[in-house]
Amino acid sequence: ASVVPSGRQLASLMAAALPSTSARVVELGAGTGAITNALIHHGIAPESLLVVEMNPVLHRLLQKRFPHIHVACGDARHLESLVGASHAFAASEADAVCSSLRLLTMPKELQRDIVAAAFNVLAPNGVFIQYTYGPRHPLDEDVLISLGLKYRRAALAWRNLPPARVYVYSRRTPL
């Protein structure tokens, strides 16, 4: 999504967008781990964090940088099987999914598959947190409608390069 890793301000704002009761968190597209680090500093226990990275080189980097976190190498569309293989989520669902994926540039079918997979592993009141460099929220309106989602802008990271907006998506009516 950017030529540079997420800045500290953006990473902190992503972590701050978590509901106060969040215990189990999934991170998608962790890259070099800037947001992973912010989630841990925010109070998410390493054993309650599942980090998903598709790039094998970045996956290995994350495993070395965060040896106490379950880091999965996989596709976000297959999140249910990745979560099922993680000991951190054996007994319950995730409270939040934090995403650094470039949803804004994806076709709406791919957006839908990824976000649907995320909501399939979320608790009924769970949230999907996403940042974007675009001027509006990154999900296609058809995707929002088909998945029954609503959103709110949670923050604006002015000091990030480039500046980024943080959005929180939730179900219109919890399960």
Side-chain angles (χ1 to χ4, degrees):
S2 176
V3 294
V4 295
S6 302
R8 279 189 217 154
Q9 181 192 31
L10 174 57
S12 294
L13 291 172
M14 288 285 286
L18 290 170
S20 61
T21 57
S22 294
R24 288 184 167 86
V25 177
V26 175
E27 181 185 3
L28 301 178
T32 60
I35 293 172
T36 309
N37 195 48
L39 291 169
I40 293 167
H41 279 78
H42 188 74
I44 301 301
E47 62 273 7
S48 297
L49 179 58
L50 169 62
V51 174
V52 178
E53 176 54 56
M54 186 180 226
N55 180 301
V57 173
L58 293 174
H59 172 255
R60 285 189 297 277
L61 172 82
L62 290 163
Q63 284 181 311
K64 287 178 185 171
R65 186 170 178 206
F66 302 102
H68 302 296
I69 294 175
H70 182 85
V71 181
C73 188
D75 187 322
R77 291 175 291 184
H78 307 293
L79 195 53
E80 288 177 272
S81 62
L82 296 171
V83 167
S86 169
H87 58 83
F89 294 86
S92 66
E93 302 158 314
D95 299 307
V97 172
C98 291
S99 171
S100 296
L101 301 177
R102 299 177 298 192
L103 293 179
L104 186 64
T105 63
M106 292 179 185
K108 69 180 174 181
E109 295 79 17
L110 182 55
Q111 281 187 4
R112 188 190 182 296
D113 291 348
I114 291 170
V115 176
F119 275 92
N120 283 340
V121 302
L122 282 169
N125 290 316
V127 297
F128 181 86
I129 303 167
Q130 174 72 46
Y131 71 85
T132 185
Y133 300 120
R136 58 177 291 281
H137 76 90
L139 282 183
D140 185 272
E141 291 301 320
D142 290 340
V143 173
L144 277 177
I145 293 166
S146 71
L147 296 177
L149 303 178
K150 60 183 178 179
Y151 70 92
R152 67 177 174 84
R153 190 173 95 177
L156 176 58
W158 281 106
R159 292 190 312 254
N160 197 71
L161 182 65
R165 291 164 177 78
V166 177
Y167 289 91
V168 178
Y169 295 85
S170 58
R171 294 175 176 98
R172 287 196 182 279
T173 46
L175 302 175

